[in-house]
Amino acid sequence: MNKEHVADSTMSAAIDGVAALRSVIQRVNQAAEKAGRVSDRIRIVAVSKTKPVSLIRQVYDAGHRSFGENYVQEIIEKAPQLPEDIDWHFIGNLQSNKVKPLLSGVPNLVMVESVDDEKIANMLDRVVGNIGRKPLKVLVQVNTSGEESKFGVDPSGCVGLAKHVKEACSNLEFSGLMTIGMADYTSTPENFKLLAKCRSEVCKELGIPEEQCELSMGMSGDFELAIELGSTNVRIGSTIFGAREYPKK
């Protein structure tokens, strides 16, 4: 494949990405309206994993600012090549040894959505304090589907973990809950309803209003349903950027 062809295909993907973003915004607005909600209370995080910086830049140039990545290595390579006013969300499983490179390498990281135990919360808290950055917003990830392959705290432990973040981690800002619904979407309504129930319990225990506690749920296949059930943060990858391109093994 010659260079011109590669450039052309990246360009057409970018144009598609911008059109796809507009279509997603329209669908979010419609879903919000249907649910009697205000659409500007719903954030669209464009999930750019495996996608090149050039494509992210096109979506940025169309006016979008919230982007998400799943892998530390990828976000620390991409973030410095892109404008500083991007709001980066880290949404993948985070290991303790990757916390420092993530926080040092991405000063404009605004949220980690995948805190699923006290150990990772404590590590984030410590590193934020050590490097002297402003408090980091975090979401507690809840495993609402009970699948062993999914990360997240058991629903019975979400109040305890949220309380730990709020009371014991002064450099973190507890901002809500996140879940990944089942891949086949058959029981996703139950997963989403369970997260909303967890939020009620957490807010009651912590004495905070529910509107101050985000629900990050809904991806390309089920974000409209998630909005109907109260999501404030949808994570959209392939619908904006096209199918993921993993390196051939």
Side-chain angles (χ1 to χ4, degrees), residues 49-78:
K49 71 173 177 182
T50 80
K51 297 299 175 185
V53 164
S54 56
L55 210 51
I56 301 170
R57 182 75 212 215
Q58 296 278 348
V59 174
Y60 171 90
D61 287 342
H64 200 68
R65 292 296 176 269
S66 296
F67 291 85
E69 287 285 344
N70 290 63
Y71 303 111
V72 172
Q73 197 49 46
E74 228 180 307
I75 193 171
I76 62 179
E77 280 171 15
K78 290 175 181 176

mmCIF file of all heavy atoms in Angstrom, residues 49-78:
data_model
loop_
_atom_site.group_PDB
_atom_site.id
_atom_site.type_symbol
_atom_site.label_atom_id
_atom_site.label_comp_id
_atom_site.label_asym_id
_atom_site.label_seq_id
_atom_site.Cartn_x
_atom_site.Cartn_y
_atom_site.Cartn_z
ATOM 1 N N LYS A 49 -9.098 4.180 21.608
ATOM 2 C CA LYS A 49 -8.046 3.145 21.700
ATOM 3 C C LYS A 49 -7.790 2.510 20.338
ATOM 4 O O LYS A 49 -8.714 2.306 19.559
ATOM 5 C CB LYS A 49 -8.378 2.091 22.757
ATOM 6 C CG LYS A 49 -9.506 1.142 22.459
ATOM 7 C CD LYS A 49 -9.559 0.054 23.551
ATOM 8 C CE LYS A 49 -10.727 -0.875 23.313
ATOM 9 N NZ LYS A 49 -10.851 -1.889 24.341
ATOM 10 N N THR A 50 -6.532 2.259 20.075
ATOM 11 C CA THR A 50 -5.978 1.708 18.817
ATOM 12 C C THR A 50 -6.054 2.691 17.642
ATOM 13 O O THR A 50 -5.637 2.361 16.542
ATOM 14 C CB THR A 50 -6.605 0.344 18.373
ATOM 15 O OG1 THR A 50 -7.864 0.571 17.722
ATOM 16 C CG2 THR A 50 -6.759 -0.617 19.524
ATOM 17 N N LYS A 51 -6.585 3.893 17.860
ATOM 18 C CA LYS A 51 -6.732 4.834 16.750
ATOM 19 C C LYS A 51 -5.590 5.841 16.718
ATOM 20 O O LYS A 51 -5.075 6.245 17.755
ATOM 21 C CB LYS A 51 -8.068 5.588 16.875
ATOM 22 C CG LYS A 51 -9.275 4.671 16.774
ATOM 23 C CD LYS A 51 -9.316 3.977 15.435
ATOM 24 C CE LYS A 51 -10.415 2.959 15.327
ATOM 25 N NZ LYS A 51 -10.365 2.217 14.069
ATOM 26 N N PRO A 52 -5.177 6.269 15.497
ATOM 27 C CA PRO A 52 -4.034 7.181 15.393
ATOM 28 C C PRO A 52 -4.371 8.600 15.860
ATOM 29 O O PRO A 52 -5.530 9.025 15.832
ATOM 30 C CB PRO A 52 -3.710 7.175 13.893
ATOM 31 C CG PRO A 52 -4.991 6.818 13.217
ATOM 32 C CD PRO A 52 -5.706 5.896 14.168
ATOM 33 N N VAL A 53 -3.320 9.314 16.240
ATOM 34 C CA VAL A 53 -3.440 10.702 16.697
ATOM 35 C C VAL A 53 -4.132 11.561 15.640
ATOM 36 O O VAL A 53 -4.945 12.431 15.963
ATOM 37 C CB VAL A 53 -2.025 11.254 17.035
ATOM 38 C CG1 VAL A 53 -2.022 12.772 17.146
ATOM 39 C CG2 VAL A 53 -1.524 10.626 18.333
ATOM 40 N N SER A 54 -3.842 11.312 14.352
ATOM 41 C CA SER A 54 -4.418 12.131 13.274
ATOM 42 C C SER A 54 -5.945 12.073 13.287
ATOM 43 O O SER A 54 -6.620 13.077 13.036
ATOM 44 C CB SER A 54 -3.894 11.665 11.915
ATOM 45 O OG SER A 54 -4.171 10.276 11.746
ATOM 46 N N LEU A 55 -6.483 10.910 13.604
ATOM 47 C CA LEU A 55 -7.938 10.731 13.633
ATOM 48 C C LEU A 55 -8.553 11.429 14.849
ATOM 49 O O LEU A 55 -9.598 12.065 14.758
ATOM 50 C CB LEU A 55 -8.241 9.222 13.680
ATOM 51 C CG LEU A 55 -9.542 8.737 13.046
ATOM 52 C CD1 LEU A 55 -9.692 9.271 11.643
ATOM 53 C CD2 LEU A 55 -9.578 7.211 13.040
ATOM 54 N N ILE A 56 -7.860 11.333 15.991
ATOM 55 C CA ILE A 56 -8.327 12.011 17.209
ATOM 56 C C ILE A 56 -8.326 13.519 16.958
ATOM 57 O O ILE A 56 -9.259 14.230 17.336
ATOM 58 C CB ILE A 56 -7.413 11.668 18.415
ATOM 59 C CG1 ILE A 56 -7.403 10.152 18.668
ATOM 60 C CG2 ILE A 56 -7.856 12.418 19.668
ATOM 61 C CD1 ILE A 56 -6.352 9.688 19.667
ATOM 62 N N ARG A 57 -7.287 13.982 16.279
ATOM 63 C CA ARG A 57 -7.142 15.413 15.985
ATOM 64 C C ARG A 57 -8.320 15.927 15.150
ATOM 65 O O ARG A 57 -8.819 17.029 15.362
ATOM 66 C CB ARG A 57 -5.811 15.635 15.257
ATOM 67 C CG ARG A 57 -5.504 17.083 14.919
ATOM 68 C CD ARG A 57 -5.070 17.834 16.157
ATOM 69 N NE ARG A 57 -5.484 19.234 16.082
ATOM 70 C CZ ARG A 57 -4.777 20.235 16.579
ATOM 71 N NH1 ARG A 57 -3.652 20.004 17.196
ATOM 72 N NH2 ARG A 57 -5.217 21.463 16.491
ATOM 73 N N GLN A 58 -8.761 15.121 14.196
ATOM 74 C CA GLN A 58 -9.893 15.530 13.351
ATOM 75 C C GLN A 58 -11.165 15.695 14.190
ATOM 76 O O GLN A 58 -11.930 16.635 14.006
ATOM 77 C CB GLN A 58 -10.151 14.478 12.258
ATOM 78 C CG GLN A 58 -9.022 14.323 11.265
ATOM 79 C CD GLN A 58 -9.058 15.370 10.161
ATOM 80 O OE1 GLN A 58 -10.043 16.086 10.010
ATOM 81 N NE2 GLN A 58 -7.974 15.457 9.404
ATOM 82 N N VAL A 59 -11.383 14.761 15.101
ATOM 83 C CA VAL A 59 -12.576 14.818 15.952
ATOM 84 C C VAL A 59 -12.449 16.008 16.919
ATOM 85 O O VAL A 59 -13.417 16.714 17.194
ATOM 86 C CB VAL A 59 -12.793 13.468 16.690
ATOM 87 C CG1 VAL A 59 -13.939 13.546 17.685
ATOM 88 C CG2 VAL A 59 -13.074 12.352 15.665
ATOM 89 N N TYR A 60 -11.221 16.246 17.386
ATOM 90 C CA TYR A 60 -10.945 17.432 18.223
ATOM 91 C C TYR A 60 -11.256 18.715 17.434
ATOM 92 O O TYR A 60 -11.899 19.623 17.942
ATOM 93 C CB TYR A 60 -9.466 17.422 18.645
ATOM 94 C CG TYR A 60 -9.021 18.701 19.330
ATOM 95 C CD1 TYR A 60 -9.124 18.852 20.709
ATOM 96 C CD2 TYR A 60 -8.507 19.774 18.578
ATOM 97 C CE1 TYR A 60 -8.743 20.034 21.336
ATOM 98 C CE2 TYR A 60 -8.127 20.960 19.192
ATOM 99 C CZ TYR A 60 -8.238 21.085 20.580
ATOM 100 O OH TYR A 60 -7.871 22.258 21.183
ATOM 101 N N ASP A 61 -10.796 18.759 16.186
ATOM 102 C CA ASP A 61 -11.009 19.955 15.361
ATOM 103 C C ASP A 61 -12.491 20.205 15.078
ATOM 104 O O ASP A 61 -12.888 21.330 14.776
ATOM 105 C CB ASP A 61 -10.224 19.856 14.042
ATOM 106 C CG ASP A 61 -8.725 20.040 14.253
ATOM 107 O OD1 ASP A 61 -8.330 20.566 15.314
ATOM 108 O OD2 ASP A 61 -7.937 19.641 13.369
ATOM 109 N N ALA A 62 -13.288 19.153 15.184
ATOM 110 C CA ALA A 62 -14.741 19.313 15.001
ATOM 111 C C ALA A 62 -15.395 19.852 16.286
ATOM 112 O O ALA A 62 -16.603 20.008 16.363
ATOM 113 C CB ALA A 62 -15.359 17.973 14.614
ATOM 114 N N GLY A 63 -14.560 20.095 17.321
ATOM 115 C CA GLY A 63 -15.073 20.729 18.539
ATOM 116 C C GLY A 63 -15.199 19.806 19.744
ATOM 117 O O GLY A 63 -15.610 20.236 20.814
ATOM 118 N N HIS A 64 -14.799 18.526 19.587
ATOM 119 C CA HIS A 64 -14.957 17.602 20.714
ATOM 120 C C HIS A 64 -13.746 17.674 21.652
ATOM 121 O O HIS A 64 -12.631 17.861 21.194
ATOM 122 C CB HIS A 64 -15.131 16.168 20.191
ATOM 123 C CG HIS A 64 -15.759 15.263 21.206
ATOM 124 N ND1 HIS A 64 -17.067 15.407 21.597
ATOM 125 C CD2 HIS A 64 -15.256 14.238 21.951
ATOM 126 C CE1 HIS A 64 -17.341 14.499 22.528
ATOM 127 N NE2 HIS A 64 -16.255 13.795 22.755
ATOM 128 N N ARG A 65 -14.001 17.545 22.963
ATOM 129 C CA ARG A 65 -12.896 17.685 23.925
ATOM 130 C C ARG A 65 -12.717 16.497 24.883
ATOM 131 O O ARG A 65 -11.668 16.386 25.501
ATOM 132 C CB ARG A 65 -13.090 18.960 24.769
ATOM 133 C CG ARG A 65 -12.927 20.270 23.968
ATOM 134 C CD ARG A 65 -11.520 20.441 23.430
ATOM 135 N NE ARG A 65 -11.371 21.632 22.601
ATOM 136 C CZ ARG A 65 -11.543 21.659 21.283
ATOM 137 N NH1 ARG A 65 -11.890 20.546 20.629
ATOM 138 N NH2 ARG A 65 -11.363 22.767 20.592
ATOM 139 N N SER A 66 -13.717 15.652 25.032
ATOM 140 C CA SER A 66 -13.586 14.518 25.972
ATOM 141 C C SER A 66 -13.201 13.243 25.225
ATOM 142 O O SER A 66 -13.953 12.778 24.361
ATOM 143 C CB SER A 66 -14.911 14.280 26.707
ATOM 144 O OG SER A 66 -15.224 15.396 27.504
ATOM 145 N N PHE A 67 -12.026 12.700 25.567
ATOM 146 C CA PHE A 67 -11.544 11.477 24.923
ATOM 147 C C PHE A 67 -11.152 10.456 25.988
ATOM 148 O O PHE A 67 -10.738 10.830 27.090
ATOM 149 C CB PHE A 67 -10.332 11.779 24.027
ATOM 150 C CG PHE A 67 -10.682 12.599 22.801
ATOM 151 C CD1 PHE A 67 -10.736 13.988 22.861
ATOM 152 C CD2 PHE A 67 -10.976 11.980 21.593
ATOM 153 C CE1 PHE A 67 -11.077 14.747 21.748
ATOM 154 C CE2 PHE A 67 -11.308 12.720 20.468
ATOM 155 C CZ PHE A 67 -11.369 14.115 20.545
ATOM 156 N N GLY A 68 -11.279 9.184 25.640
ATOM 157 C CA GLY A 68 -10.948 8.130 26.592
ATOM 158 C C GLY A 68 -9.992 7.118 26.003
ATOM 159 O O GLY A 68 -10.025 6.834 24.800
ATOM 160 N N GLU A 69 -9.136 6.584 26.852
ATOM 161 C CA GLU A 69 -8.213 5.519 26.442
ATOM 162 C C GLU A 69 -8.245 4.395 27.470
ATOM 163 O O GLU A 69 -8.505 4.626 28.656
ATOM 164 C CB GLU A 69 -6.784 6.068 26.319
ATOM 165 C CG GLU A 69 -6.547 6.958 25.102
ATOM 166 C CD GLU A 69 -6.438 6.202 23.780
ATOM 167 O OE1 GLU A 69 -6.242 4.963 23.799
ATOM 168 O OE2 GLU A 69 -6.550 6.851 22.717
ATOM 169 N N ASN A 70 -7.943 3.182 27.001
ATOM 170 C CA ASN A 70 -7.971 1.983 27.855
ATOM 171 C C ASN A 70 -6.598 1.518 28.318
ATOM 172 O O ASN A 70 -6.506 0.743 29.264
ATOM 173 C CB ASN A 70 -8.593 0.811 27.096
ATOM 174 C CG ASN A 70 -10.079 1.001 26.862
ATOM 175 O OD1 ASN A 70 -10.486 1.939 26.181
ATOM 176 N ND2 ASN A 70 -10.882 0.122 27.428
ATOM 177 N N TYR A 71 -5.548 1.947 27.590
ATOM 178 C CA TYR A 71 -4.214 1.431 27.909
ATOM 179 C C TYR A 71 -3.265 2.575 28.241
ATOM 180 O O TYR A 71 -3.208 3.572 27.514
ATOM 181 C CB TYR A 71 -3.657 0.619 26.725
ATOM 182 C CG TYR A 71 -4.580 -0.512 26.328
ATOM 183 C CD1 TYR A 71 -5.268 -0.497 25.117
ATOM 184 C CD2 TYR A 71 -4.786 -1.600 27.192
ATOM 185 C CE1 TYR A 71 -6.129 -1.523 24.763
ATOM 186 C CE2 TYR A 71 -5.649 -2.632 26.842
ATOM 187 C CZ TYR A 71 -6.322 -2.585 25.628
ATOM 188 O OH TYR A 71 -7.184 -3.599 25.297
ATOM 189 N N VAL A 72 -2.519 2.413 29.332
ATOM 190 C CA VAL A 72 -1.618 3.471 29.793
ATOM 191 C C VAL A 72 -0.585 3.819 28.724
ATOM 192 O O VAL A 72 -0.360 4.996 28.418
ATOM 193 C CB VAL A 72 -0.927 3.070 31.123
ATOM 194 C CG1 VAL A 72 0.152 4.075 31.501
ATOM 195 C CG2 VAL A 72 -1.967 2.963 32.241
ATOM 196 N N GLN A 73 0.024 2.788 28.125
ATOM 197 C CA GLN A 73 1.064 3.014 27.124
ATOM 198 C C GLN A 73 0.552 3.887 25.978
ATOM 199 O O GLN A 73 1.229 4.795 25.498
ATOM 200 C CB GLN A 73 1.565 1.661 26.587
ATOM 201 C CG GLN A 73 2.899 1.735 25.864
ATOM 202 C CD GLN A 73 3.984 2.495 26.625
ATOM 203 O OE1 GLN A 73 4.190 2.295 27.818
ATOM 204 N NE2 GLN A 73 4.665 3.420 25.952
ATOM 205 N N GLU A 74 -0.691 3.610 25.586
ATOM 206 C CA GLU A 74 -1.271 4.352 24.457
ATOM 207 C C GLU A 74 -1.562 5.816 24.817
ATOM 208 O O GLU A 74 -1.258 6.718 24.054
ATOM 209 C CB GLU A 74 -2.576 3.653 24.033
ATOM 210 C CG GLU A 74 -2.641 3.447 22.546
ATOM 211 C CD GLU A 74 -3.909 2.759 22.098
ATOM 212 O OE1 GLU A 74 -4.259 1.684 22.620
ATOM 213 O OE2 GLU A 74 -4.551 3.324 21.204
ATOM 214 N N ILE A 75 -2.145 6.036 25.979
ATOM 215 C CA ILE A 75 -2.512 7.407 26.346
ATOM 216 C C ILE A 75 -1.259 8.259 26.596
ATOM 217 O O ILE A 75 -1.218 9.430 26.219
ATOM 218 C CB ILE A 75 -3.489 7.433 27.555
ATOM 219 C CG1 ILE A 75 -4.117 8.833 27.733
ATOM 220 C CG2 ILE A 75 -2.828 7.010 28.853
ATOM 221 C CD1 ILE A 75 -5.244 8.888 28.767
ATOM 222 N N ILE A 76 -0.203 7.657 27.163
ATOM 223 C CA ILE A 76 0.993 8.483 27.422
ATOM 224 C C ILE A 76 1.775 8.773 26.138
ATOM 225 O O ILE A 76 2.538 9.729 26.076
ATOM 226 C CB ILE A 76 1.913 7.928 28.551
ATOM 227 C CG1 ILE A 76 2.476 6.561 28.209
ATOM 228 C CG2 ILE A 76 1.203 7.902 29.887
ATOM 229 C CD1 ILE A 76 3.400 5.992 29.288
ATOM 230 N N GLU A 77 1.547 7.960 25.106
ATOM 231 C CA GLU A 77 2.163 8.269 23.807
ATOM 232 C C GLU A 77 1.352 9.322 23.053
ATOM 233 O O GLU A 77 1.905 10.198 22.396
ATOM 234 C CB GLU A 77 2.255 6.988 22.949
ATOM 235 C CG GLU A 77 3.425 6.104 23.322
ATOM 236 C CD GLU A 77 3.378 4.744 22.627
ATOM 237 O OE1 GLU A 77 2.611 4.593 21.644
ATOM 238 O OE2 GLU A 77 4.099 3.831 23.070
ATOM 239 N N LYS A 78 0.037 9.222 23.145
ATOM 240 C CA LYS A 78 -0.818 10.109 22.338
ATOM 241 C C LYS A 78 -0.990 11.502 22.951
ATOM 242 O O LYS A 78 -0.966 12.506 22.235
ATOM 243 C CB LYS A 78 -2.211 9.490 22.172
ATOM 244 C CG LYS A 78 -2.250 8.271 21.272
ATOM 245 C CD LYS A 78 -3.658 7.686 21.301
ATOM 246 C CE LYS A 78 -3.766 6.447 20.439
ATOM 247 N NZ LYS A 78 -5.115 5.848 20.568
#
